[in-house]
Each structure stands twice: as structure tokens, then as C-alpha cells.
Amino acid sequence: SGNRLNDYEEGTWTPVFTDDGTSGNTASSYGSQLGWYTKIGNLVNVQMRISNAVFSSFNTSHATYVKGLPYVIQQSSDRLTTGTALLSNCNLDSDTMTVGVLCNSSSGSGNSWFRLFQVKDNTTWVSIKISQWSSGDNEILVNFSYRTDAV
């Protein structure tokens, strides 16, 4: 659909620590709550830092979500978008080898959130649960790219 490399934008966004992608509970305060992005055509690269998120009354069995992406992720059947994450003070499972970002862009009407996952030794990956975090003493750094329909 044409060359859109002249469609360049930089900006900021506000990442939100939460226990659900579309509703749920959100952190009440943060030490740091920073997000920045670069959009070229339909490709968006995001980076973010959340630290010392304070939360209570979260559903502790739910996955860890971050909401607030600057653009909705393009919906596409069977597409999974992944990225890197660095975590501090998260009580990971003993057989976790690494952590990462996962966006399932094949469901719903597109979304502006992602989840954090643990890559396990010799078994399938699993989400990082809210119960694995300490309120007020945590940090999440993320970098990933995704496609959007926004122009």
C-alpha cells in the first residue's frame, strides 16, 4: 500500500501495571511510569519503564498486564507478537529460563496491552502472575515492536 517511510512519529505513552487487559485493577502509584515510542508507517517500537508500582486488591491469580500502548496492535489471525523484558524483584518459578512480552493479536478487535511471560525449562511458557510481585518494590523494563493499522 505504498511507501509510508515518510510517516514518522516519536512520542511518549503511559504504561499502566494491571491485572487485566481490558478492565481490572490498576496500580495506585509508581516510582517511575515512563513510556516512549517511534512509529514509522505501520511499525511501532515501544520502550517502557515501570518501577515501584503500588497495588492492592488485585486478582493475584491473574497474569501481569501492561496497558496503554500508544497504538492498537494490528489484529491478525495466528499472529503472536513478542519482545524483551527485564524484571526486578519478581519471584519467578524455579524452572524459568527467561522472561518476555507476549501480545496475542489474533483475538478480539485488536488491543493496546501486553502480558509478561516466563519461558520454562522443557515445558510451555506461562504467564507471570500478580502474586509473583511485591507491591511497591518492583521494576519492569520492556522493548518490542508491533504492527498497527493506525495511519
Side-chain angles (χ1 to χ4, degrees):
S1 63
N3 184 345
R4 289 206 219 147
L5 289 179
N6 62 343
D7 178 15
Y8 179 90
E9 176 184 328
E10 291 183 2
T12 60
W13 62 285
T14 304
V16 177
F17 183 91
T18 180
D19 63 356
D20 191 274
T22 56
S23 58
N25 302 290
T26 59
S28 58
S29 67
Y30 300 85
S32 298
Q33 186 183 19
L34 308 167
W36 51 101
Y37 71 91
T38 302
K39 179 181 174 291
I40 303 173
N42 68 349
L43 184 66
V44 182
N45 176 262
V46 292
Q47 296 176 317
M48 58 141 280
R49 178 183 184 203
I50 285 176
S51 69
N52 302 326
V54 174
F55 56 90
S56 61
S57 303
F58 274 36
N59 186 328
T60 57
S61 67
H62 278 197
T64 302
Y65 288 77
V66 175
K67 295 194 292 193
L69 290 172
Y71 290 96
V72 173
I73 298 170
Q74 182 183 70
Q75 186 178 359
S76 180
S77 182
D78 293 329
R79 181 183 294 165
L80 297 176
T81 302
T82 62
T84 61
L86 185 66
L87 311 179
S88 179
N89 292 330
C90 184
N91 186 20
L92 298 174
D93 296 344
S94 61
D95 60 347
T96 295
M97 299 184 335
T98 188
V99 296
V101 169
L102 178 65
C103 307
N104 183 343
S105 51
S106 65
S107 62
S109 57
N111 54 49
S112 59
W113 48 263
F114 59 87
R115 293 174 288 167
L116 295 172
F117 274 77
Q118 306 173 77
V119 179
K120 311 290 265 177
D121 185 17
N122 200 32
T123 187
T124 188
W125 61 72
V126 298
S127 62
I128 296 174
K129 304 281 190 238
I130 293 297
S131 61
Q132 295 177 267
W133 295 99
S134 295
S135 177
D137 184 17
N138 49 65
E139 188 162 25
I140 304 169
L141 306 174
V142 165
N143 182 356
F144 75 101
S145 297
Y146 63 93
R147 291 178 179 245
T148 184
D149 288 327
V151 291

